[in-house]
Amino acid sequence: MSPVSFARQRYTTKAYDASRQVDQAIIDELLELLRLAPSSVNSQPWHFVVASTAEGKARLAKGAQDGFAYNQPKILNASHVVLICARRDIDEAYLADVLQQEADDGRFRDDAARTGQHNTRSSYVELHRGLGDMPHWTEKQAYLALGTLLLGAAAKGVDATPMEGIDRVALDEELGLAAQGLSSVVAVALGFHSDGDFNAALPKSRLPAERVFTHL
């Protein structure tokens, strides 16, 4: 099947079959897709919290209370839940870690290439720090990872639900994310829909091509 076919068949799952689990091999593949997701200047300003146990999902469900209670069953009944987090800032130590990983992976032909990459990435970091939108910039990179995961899940026949309807403050506190320099951004439930999922049978709806494309 083509990527378009997967995009046409995927939808946001509203109810999960708690009795069904996604094979670990498939989960491992989806997590590798997250690790390989694109990001601006290869900054990779993210971290992924993966809940696969009842205890782990219960902890993430603490971010789906009160006004977000409608998402609690999705978190508890899904096979796995991934909380996508973004770095609150990108400091020199982190920049050095990313640069060293690139060097270890053989991306630089010489010291000049390494220095050029470091200077380019640092200039983007300083640009956004100066603009005062660093958290917004890192969150945008996290959403690139989200899109990668959603299409990948569809390709593997796994249902998924992206959830912005979470109490990010509660999750940051529950997981101690601030101390790690992280903020929760969006959660993704993964699994298989139940018979009670009304959205499974509804036709997909998007604006027509002539509304969303301008050809020059």
Side-chain angles (χ1 to χ4, degrees):
M1 291 176 65
S2 72
V4 172
S5 297
F6 295 127
R8 285 187 175 133
Q9 74 180 27
R10 72 148 302 276
Y11 74 101
T12 297
T13 299
K14 300 299 184 181
Y16 283 89
D17 183 345
S19 69
R20 299 185 65 190
Q21 297 294 302
V22 180
D23 290 344
Q24 188 59 48
I26 293 177
I27 292 296
D28 290 343
E29 191 170 353
L30 294 178
L31 296 183
E32 183 67 356
L33 279 175
L34 280 173
R35 192 181 72 86
L36 296 173
S39 61
S40 178
V41 290
N42 200 31
S43 53
Q44 307 167 67
W46 47 48
H47 188 80
F48 309 107
V49 178
V50 183
S52 59
T53 64
E55 294 78 11
K57 286 181 284 187
R59 292 185 68 186
L60 293 190
K62 292 181 180 180
Q65 300 179 14
D66 300 324
F68 304 114
Y70 58 89
N71 274 329
Q72 192 169 93
K74 302 182 188 78
I75 293 172
L76 295 176
N77 293 332
S79 171
H80 291 68
V81 182
V82 179
L83 181 65
I84 300 177
C85 308
R87 297 187 65 87
R88 297 184 177 207
D89 193 15
I90 298 179
D91 58 22
E92 289 300 322
Y94 183 75
L95 287 172
D97 286 344
V98 173
L99 190 71
Q100 186 57 55
Q101 186 63 58
E102 290 171 331
D104 292 345
D105 290 335
R107 288 188 57 83
F108 307 127
R109 64 182 181 276
D110 52 34
D111 288 343
R114 176 175 177 142
T115 299
Q117 174 70 349
H118 175 68
N119 290 345
T120 297
R121 186 157 45 233
S122 296
S123 70
Y124 274 85
V125 170
E126 290 306 315
L127 170 65
H128 288 284
R129 187 174 288 126
L131 291 171
D133 72 343
M134 177 64 74
H136 179 59
W137 183 56
T138 59
E139 285 185 13
K140 287 194 291 185
Q141 312 316 309
Y143 276 90
L144 292 176
L146 170 63
T148 300
L149 175 59
L150 293 179
L151 189 58
K156 300 302 293 185
V158 175
D159 293 322
T161 308
M163 292 174 284
E164 289 185 311
I166 53 175
D167 187 336
R168 295 169 58 173
V169 174
L171 285 173
D172 289 358
E173 182 177 350
E174 170 65 24
L175 301 172
L177 296 179
Q180 304 173 59
L182 300 167
S183 294
S184 54
V185 176
V186 60
V188 184
L190 299 168
F192 302 101
H193 70 272
S194 71
D195 292 339
D197 181 9
F198 71 90
N199 210 27
L202 295 179
K204 199 174 190 74
S205 178
R206 293 294 189 271
L207 292 169
E210 58 268 22
R211 288 282 302 276
V212 298
F213 295 110
T214 295
H215 296 278
L216 303 178

